[in-house]
Amino acid sequence: MNRAFSRKKDKTWMHTPEALSKHYIPYNAKFLGSTEVEQPKGTEVVRDAVRKLKFARHIKKSEGQKIPKVELQISIYGVKILDPKTKEVQHNCQLHRISFCADDKTDKRIFTFICKDSESNKHLCYVFDSEKCAEEITLTIGQAFDLAYRKFLESGGKDVETRKQIAGLQKRIQDLETENMELKNKVQDLENQLSITQVSASPVSNVTPKSPSTDIFDMVPFSPISPQSSIPTRNGTQPPPVPSRSSEIKRDLFGAEPFDPFSCGAGDFPPDIQSKLDEMQEGFKMGLTLEGTVFGLDPLDSKC
């Protein structure tokens, strides 16, 4: 059986499922930063990222800059990175977007994870310096991922975020229905104005109709400007019927057919909900790999 979650050493979870499902587990750490990586997984990938961010950190330290402290809130909804004082969310990493998580066995303070950015779709590696609890944080992220995947399967993929999207789409349909009704009213007003204009411009609109004069053959003389009449002529012929205008109007004021949410096909409507579910399913199927890895770099100064 394929497991969405994998780790090299099977260890007992550290928290109760309720703690991660109904609340969150907080951790304090220093945030070395994030950097783009080419692959969503791999020890070498995170090793290069940690090397790069450690080097940048030493440069900032020599310039007198301190590494910012952050608070991590880990739950089944993701890993939030917050300012510990203001509680402002700096990054919100959804669990199905996290593909790799590792802690440094030679430096119990360092841990990192790779997450796919929701806007750019680039893979970013986040690196932290904790108080010698890197392995615990790594396992907590793994447990949260495992619980989130189970909940996703049990709920059929309809999580909180998806329900918000459904509500937004329902409101969008209502707005389009209102817009469609307004366009229909405008079309009706234009039809009424056009009918009034045609009647006013007619030369016989205010004149009592009279019997047309006939020629020597007792026939109505032909006139190219004579309006068509629905009354049969003297010779018994019937003029061609005037096409109904209402049957011709199939487009709105902007030249497009009015929107009908009940007749449009699935391909005509943005598949936001389905794409969200597909993305989550793809992320969970990729799985989260936990590794205790050796970065082989100089440890951070414990006084920092």
Side-chain angles (χ1 to χ4, degrees), residues 1-7 146 149-150 153 285:
M1 179 183 296
N2 293 329
R3 297 181 61 190
F5 172 78
S6 62
R7 51 185 171 174
D146 194 43
Y149 184 41
R150 292 181 184 181
L153 295 178
K285 282 186 175 181

Side-chain angles (χ1 to χ4, degrees), residues 237-272:
T237 60
Q238 182 72 28
V242 179
S244 173
R245 180 173 177 79
S246 60
S247 63
E248 297 176 358
I249 300 177
K250 295 182 179 179
R251 298 182 179 274
D252 58 22
L253 297 177
F254 305 99
E257 295 185 4
F259 174 80
D260 187 352
F262 301 102
S263 64
C264 69
D268 300 328
F269 202 81
D272 293 344

Side-chain angles (χ1 to χ4, degrees), residues 16-283:
T16 62
E18 291 75 14
L20 289 166
S21 300
K22 298 180 180 180
H23 305 283
Y24 59 84
I25 306 298
Y27 290 99
N28 293 320
K30 292 181 180 180
F31 185 31
L32 275 68
S34 62
T35 183
E36 182 182 354
V37 293
E38 297 296 330
Q39 300 295 330
K41 296 177 183 287
T43 302
E44 291 296 330
V45 174
V46 296
R47 179 183 287 119
D48 293 340
V50 171
R51 181 184 293 111
K52 180 191 297 185
L53 291 174
K54 275 190 173 182
F55 179 75
R57 186 230 173 166
H58 285 300
I59 293 179
K60 291 180 179 180
K61 180 184 175 182
S62 64
E63 296 175 350
Q65 299 183 28
K66 294 183 178 180
I67 304 303
K69 296 181 179 180
V70 295
E71 177 183 335
L72 299 176
Q73 293 182 356
I74 304 173
S75 69
I76 63 172
Y77 299 103
V79 179
K80 289 184 178 180
I81 305 173
L82 304 89
D83 184 291
K85 295 182 179 180
T86 64
K87 301 301 180 181
E88 179 183 358
V89 179
Q90 300 175 353
H91 303 276
N92 187 9
C93 304
Q94 295 174 306
L95 286 178
H96 68 273
R97 291 180 172 272
I98 299 178
S99 55
F100 192 87
C101 191
D103 53 273
D104 189 349
K105 295 305 179 185
T106 62
D107 187 349
K108 300 295 184 179
R109 304 165 61 97
I110 299 298
F111 75 96
T112 178
F113 64 81
I114 298 177
C115 180
K116 188 176 182 180
D117 184 69
S118 59
E119 296 182 359
S120 64
N121 283 329
K122 296 179 180 179
H123 296 287
L124 301 178
C125 184
Y126 295 79
V127 181
F128 302 88
D129 173 10
S130 66
E131 293 296 331
K132 297 183 179 180
C133 57
E135 183 179 9
E136 178 180 341
I137 298 176
T138 301
L139 290 175
T140 301
I141 294 177
Q143 182 182 6
F145 184 95
D146 194 43
L147 291 172
Y149 184 41
R150 292 181 184 181
K151 182 180 179 182
F152 177 81
L153 295 178
E154 293 172 357
S155 63
K158 296 179 180 179
D159 62 349
V160 176
E161 188 65 26
T162 301
R163 286 197 292 271
K164 289 181 180 179
Q165 288 190 350
I166 293 175
L169 290 176
Q170 289 176 341
K171 185 178 183 303
R172 176 59 177 160
I173 291 177
Q174 292 178 354
D175 293 341
L176 290 172
E177 288 177 342
T178 302
E179 181 182 352
N180 186 35
M181 183 60 66
E182 292 176 353
L183 290 174
K184 286 182 178 179
N185 293 335
K186 289 182 180 180
V187 171
Q188 186 63 44
D189 291 341
L190 288 177
E191 281 186 322
N192 295 337
Q193 294 177 11
L194 182 60
S195 300
I196 295 174
T197 303
Q198 289 178 340
V199 172
S200 301
S202 175
V204 296
S205 59
N206 297 323
V207 181
T208 303
K210 298 180 180 180
S211 299
S213 59
T214 58
D215 56 16
I216 58 174
F217 300 102
D218 196 26
M219 297 182 65
V220 178
F222 172 78
S223 174
I225 61 173
S226 298
Q228 291 180 335
S229 174
S230 60
I231 303 175
T233 58
R234 293 291 183 89
N235 57 7
T237 60
Q238 182 72 28
V242 179
S244 173
R245 180 173 177 79
S246 60
S247 63
E248 297 176 358
I249 300 177
K250 295 182 179 179
R251 298 182 179 274
D252 58 22
L253 297 177
F254 305 99
E257 295 185 4
F259 174 80
D260 187 352
F262 301 102
S263 64
C264 69
D268 300 328
F269 202 81
D272 293 344
I273 297 178
Q274 189 60 45
S275 62
K276 175 67 175 179
L277 295 177
D278 292 343
E279 175 204 333
M280 294 184 69
Q281 187 176 28
E282 180 182 357

